[in-house]
Amino acid sequence: MQRATSFKPAGSVADAPDGVVVLPHDGRHLRRKLLHLDNGAMVMLDLKEPVLFQHGDRLLLDDGTTVEIQAAEERLFEIRARDTLHLIELAWHLGNRHLSAQIEPDRILIQRDHVIRDMLVGLGAEVSDIVEPFQPVRGAYHAHGGHGSHGGHHEGGHGHG
């Protein structure tokens, strides 16, 4: 069984991966775990510190090959606002409730929660059920154990927030 003790950020490896592991957002915060790849192989991930992996990050295996981490499709709410200010206000309400959110220029994605949906609709938002990969914004307290604080397990800078 292959072992991975380091990684590279998304976009930093040009070669095609030798395998893929698909994980939901809450399954991408890892330190040590046996991963089952799409090709049936298994890889033991063994990092010194926990890392919050992003879609497209690559695990570096002992033999020099790589495995790509992909974000799984998840059941989400897509939130749309009347205008930019309204979108900012909706984001504030979600943040005030400490909800994970993927914030984009014209929409916000959150995991489905019908109580929150009712609140958003009451605030004038348009809320739709969708299924797609979820890449929430990492909060200020997620700097430790995420990219950039893992003691040089990869090279190169990148802006994941």
Side-chain angles (χ1 to χ4, degrees):
M1 176 184 327
Q2 288 283 349
R3 190 168 164 242
T5 57
S6 62
F7 71 97
K8 296 266 188 188
S12 66
V13 178
D15 297 340
D18 294 283
V20 170
V21 61
V22 180
L23 301 168
H25 92 279
D26 61 356
R28 293 194 305 267
H29 190 242
L30 302 167
R31 188 191 78 75
R32 183 172 166 78
K33 183 174 176 84
L34 183 62
L35 301 172
H36 298 269
L37 308 185
D38 66 338
N39 61 12
M42 292 189 291
V43 169
M44 175 52 74
L45 177 65
D46 190 10
L47 302 174
K48 291 181 182 176
E49 296 180 28
V51 173
L52 180 56
F53 287 103
Q54 306 296 310
H55 179 82
D57 284 346
R58 296 282 188 93
L59 302 177
L60 301 176
L61 305 185
D62 291 335
D63 67 358
T65 61
T66 66
V67 168
E68 183 174 272
I69 295 175
Q70 291 184 356
E73 289 198 340
E74 301 187 50
R75 296 168 38 90
L76 306 170
F77 284 149
E78 177 184 67
I79 303 156
R80 296 208 179 256
R82 293 183 299 269
D83 55 32
T84 303
L85 180 58
H86 188 221
L87 191 71
I88 292 167
E89 291 170 351
L90 295 171
W92 182 87
H93 283 283
L94 295 169
N96 194 42
R97 285 155 182 81
H98 304 283
L99 295 174
S100 295
Q102 180 175 325
I103 301 173
E104 298 177 0
D106 61 346
R107 70 180 187 161
I108 301 170
L109 303 179
I110 62 169
Q111 289 187 310
R112 292 184 189 177
D113 178 322
H114 292 283
V115 171
I116 298 300
R117 178 189 196 131
D118 291 346
M119 175 199 73
L120 292 165
V121 169
L123 292 168
E126 178 185 320
V127 182
S128 305
D129 294 350
I130 63 166
V131 176
E132 66 180 68
F134 186 43
Q135 190 66 60
V137 175
R138 293 186 303 169
Y141 300 109
H142 286 102
H144 297 292
H147 291 177
S149 66
H150 44 73
H153 290 275
H154 75 275
E155 296 122 26
H158 52 94
H160 288 300

